[in-house]
Amino acid sequence: MVLPWGCGRPSLTSHARGLLTSLVTLLLLRLGSAQLRVEGPGHSVTATVGQDVVLPCHLYPQRDARTLEVRWIRGEFSETVHHYRNGEDLYGEQMGAYVGRTELARDGLSAGSLDLRIVDLRPSDDGQYVCTVEGAGAYDEAIVELKVSATGADPHLSLGGYEAGGVRVLCRSAGWYPLPQLLWRDARGQHLPSVSQTHSQDQEGLFEIEGAVIVTGSVEGPLSCVVRSSRLQQEQESSLHIAAPFFHNAQPWKVALAPVLVLLAVSIGLGVYLFRKKAAQSRELEKQAAELAWRRFLLPQNRVKVTLDPHTAHPQLVLSQDNRSVRRETQKQQVPDTPERFDYWCCVLGHEEFREGRHCWLVEGEGAWLKYSWWAVGVARASVKRKGEIDMSPGEGIWAVEYDEGQLTSLTSPPTPLSLSPVPTRIWVCLDCTQGQVSFISADNGVEIFTFTAASFNGESIRPWFLLETSGIQLCLRDSTL
């Protein structure tokens, strides 16, 4: 007997429904156990010097990131730009160049957004950033390319004199990033070849470019200098019209007389220059002699030999065998976490303690990345706070000067920027316990950098104090005589 369809055995629809249920269940299980996946924007991010920028990064699929560890790293230096873990921002490993300039967008973490805001952009911020996420044994990362730009000033045109049968025209423009192009155009829009082109960078990393062209009488109409940023697709242009008499109306006697006048002007100028140079050299020698005498008076003959105390060194600081130099590593060392050890800022104290008299020691920063480094030297009370974040100021018992990417600052409250050129990287630290003064002197030329007066030592012992927040350099204690 043939049974009717659907009686006594499952239908095709039931099979299909069961298979679909199994597939959905398997998919959900796979999604539930999936590893972390981090995605960037898929394109470079462009921003302008001085502005703020947000570097986008998110988890896919979307999930709560508040309990994960998020770290933004500079790809070129493999150093930490911003560190977040379990609801807390951690600044112990942050690059000095980014202190006070980064923020993780907290309001988006619950939705898987890991966006990083960087404020007051600098040319040095240009480059690759790596967004990393770690949690529950899983890890992933994404790369974000930041392209920083700056549009410079309008080109400045000037005449440089007669040369090669024409007139030399100079063009200069500053304030650009990255390095722009400099082009010459005639009135018909045709490009003219440069005879020279140079560029330089200022302390902020912005470029100045200068070019020259020889213009002959065959060039009609105005001459234009164009400085163009290929990154921003922007350009600045200035024009100059050279009158025909410069080329055609010069009489033969004027042409013959011109070299004589030029030689006469050069001779007069050279004489004035040599006279002024000799006078300037004489003043400089007198100044140097006075400064040398002042240094010998200020720096006593009994300079002290200072060593570093390894028991106070932050776990990321590595001291030399003779305890006379220190460098910073990216990984923490396996050292005991004692009450006397710094655990937040990368600080270390000197082993010696002073209660009376005057004492001086020489500190030198050295290394290939010194220009872009962050460090500080000075003195601190023996009881200075070691744990957690420290207010590096006299109120906390610290008297110091700080070097941060070429800028020297006294750590007063609030800090005071210091204008010195060139910025010294060899510094005498002079402690006068009797007068309650801490002075800092350039070891290069004897110029006084800064002096803390009426320092409140409260009758405590005072110890040398050092901060080093940049890898790739080291601070060294030197034995030096004048």
Side-chain angles (χ1 to χ4, degrees), residues 347-424:
C347 301
V348 61
L349 293 176
H351 184 271
E352 290 71 23
E353 297 188 17
F354 307 104
R355 281 183 174 271
E356 58 184 17
R358 172 180 284 172
H359 313 276
C360 295
W361 54 93
L362 177 61
V363 185
E364 180 177 5
E366 62 177 27
W369 296 100
L370 186 62
K371 180 179 178 181
Y372 307 100
S373 62
W374 177 29
W375 50 274
V377 295
V379 300
R381 295 195 193 106
S383 63
V384 67
K385 180 181 176 183
R386 315 290 175 88
K387 303 300 182 182
E389 190 169 3
I390 302 171
D391 176 18
M392 293 180 285
S393 70
E396 190 75 57
I398 296 174
W399 296 266
V401 292
E402 173 188 79
Y403 181 96
D404 188 0
E405 292 195 346
Q407 172 64 55
L408 207 59
T409 303
S410 63
L411 296 182
T412 52
S413 185
T416 305
L418 304 174
S419 299
L420 291 175
S421 181
V423 176

Side-chain angles (χ1 to χ4, degrees), residues 91-346:
Y91 298 102
E93 300 176 6
Q94 187 178 38
M95 293 177 66
Y98 293 91
V99 171
R101 299 177 52 230
T102 62
E103 177 187 6
L104 200 66
R106 297 292 192 90
D107 54 352
L109 284 171
S110 59
S113 174
L114 314 172
D115 294 354
L116 179 72
R117 176 182 296 275
I118 304 177
V119 302
D120 190 20
L121 278 181
R122 307 170 181 175
S124 58
D125 296 331
D126 186 86
Q128 282 191 349
Y129 293 74
V130 184
C131 171
T132 73
V133 181
E134 185 174 358
Y139 174 88
D140 198 17
E141 64 182 37
I143 296 177
V144 181
E145 179 82 15
L146 173 61
K147 294 184 177 181
V148 180
S149 303
T151 302
D154 290 339
H156 174 73
L157 291 168
S158 60
L159 297 180
Y162 293 101
E163 183 177 334
V167 178
R168 186 181 184 90
V169 183
L170 304 175
C171 177
R172 180 186 297 111
S173 181
W176 294 86
Y177 191 86
L179 180 65
Q181 296 176 293
L182 189 149
L183 306 171
W184 296 94
R185 287 200 296 244
D186 61 17
R188 296 173 294 177
Q190 299 295 315
H191 288 287
L192 303 175
S194 297
V195 295
S196 67
Q197 193 169 117
T198 60
H199 66 269
S200 60
Q201 277 183 283
D202 60 20
Q203 288 188 347
E204 296 179 358
L206 298 175
F207 284 97
E208 177 179 272
I209 189 168
E210 179 176 329
V213 67
I214 305 298
V215 183
T216 63
S218 61
V219 177
E220 300 178 357
L223 172 71
S224 297
C225 174
V226 180
V227 182
R228 174 186 300 161
S229 169
S230 57
R231 179 170 289 182
L232 289 176
Q233 298 302 314
Q234 294 181 353
E235 62 181 36
Q236 303 281 30
E237 180 177 356
S238 295
S239 299
L240 177 70
H241 185 83
I242 303 177
F246 273 91
F247 306 108
H248 304 296
N249 293 347
Q251 300 296 325
W253 67 271
K254 291 182 179 180
V255 174
L257 183 61
V260 177
L261 295 177
V262 170
L263 288 175
L264 180 61
V266 169
S267 299
I268 295 174
L270 182 61
V272 173
Y273 168 76
L274 292 175
F275 175 79
R276 290 181 176 177
K277 182 178 180 180
K278 185 175 181 179
Q281 288 176 339
S282 177
R283 290 194 300 269
E284 182 64 23
L285 289 174
E286 293 176 359
K287 179 182 176 182
Q288 290 178 357
E291 287 177 346
L292 184 60
W294 178 77
R295 277 202 300 173
R296 286 174 173 163
F297 169 77
L298 187 61
L299 301 177
Q301 295 300 317
N302 57 340
R303 300 180 188 89
V304 294
K305 181 176 181 179
V306 170
T307 57
L308 304 172
D309 184 356
H311 299 99
T312 66
H314 184 278
Q316 286 180 256
L317 294 182
V318 178
L319 276 55
S320 61
Q321 189 173 2
D322 61 357
N323 293 331
R324 296 278 286 167
S325 64
V326 57
R327 70 180 191 275
R328 180 183 183 275
E329 297 289 347
T330 56
Q331 300 297 325
K332 292 185 177 180
Q333 312 301 305
Q334 296 298 321
V335 292
D337 184 14
T338 59
E340 58 186 328
R341 188 179 302 281
F342 291 94
D343 67 353
Y344 189 88
W345 295 113
C346 289

Side-chain angles (χ1 to χ4, degrees), residues 39-61:
E39 292 188 347
H43 56 80
S44 61
V45 179
T46 302
T48 304
V49 169
Q51 294 183 347
D52 301 348
V53 67
V54 173
L55 303 183
C57 181
H58 65 275
L59 295 178
Y60 182 85

Side-chain angles (χ1 to χ4, degrees), residues 35-36 63 67-69 133-140:
Q35 298 294 303
L36 288 174
R63 58 170 288 187
T67 60
L68 301 177
E69 182 172 6
V133 181
E134 185 174 358
Y139 174 88
D140 198 17

